Amino acid sequence: YKSVDTFYIKRCIELAQKGIGRTYPNPMVGAVIVHNNKIIGEGYHKKAGESHAEINAINYAMHFCVYNYIWLTHKSKILYKEN
């Protein structure tokens, strides 16, 4: 990973930790949406039964037209999707 990836992944982990104790049986998940190396959306899974991190991040970023990457943590795996 590049240092920029590490930065975004660390932010995902910080966000995911906000859900400690409230997401069971789902995992704690954090997500950021980045455009032109700037975070334009972020979210986390706040509570079981509510929207997941990715949806919360997308809702946060809805006023932007496009995105470059979505980074997220999920079940101890680090994933990213390139657009």
Side-chain angles (χ1 to χ4, degrees):
Y1 292 104
K2 297 180 278 184
S3 62
V4 68
D5 295 331
T6 302
F7 173 80
Y8 296 127
I9 290 167
K10 284 182 179 179
R11 182 62 184 148
C12 289
I13 293 168
E14 290 172 359
L15 290 165
Q17 290 174 336
K18 292 182 174 188
I20 289 175
R22 294 187 296 270
T23 63
Y24 183 83
N26 299 320
M28 295 182 303
V29 180
V32 297
I33 300 174
V34 177
H35 178 68
N36 292 332
N37 295 317
K38 179 181 177 189
I39 294 175
I40 62 167
E42 58 182 30
Y44 67 98
H45 185 47
K46 295 178 181 180
K47 182 179 175 184
E50 294 185 4
S51 298
H52 288 230
E54 304 87 341
I55 299 302
N56 291 332
I58 290 168
N59 288 338
Y60 183 93
M62 286 297 288
H63 57 283
F64 291 92
C65 297
V66 296
Y67 61 88
N68 288 341
Y69 299 93
I70 297 177
W71 279 265
L72 60 110
T73 59
H74 188 262
K75 295 184 182 180
S76 301
K77 296 178 184 175
I78 298 171
L79 310 168
Y80 74 92
K81 180 188 183 303
E82 185 171 348
N83 187 21

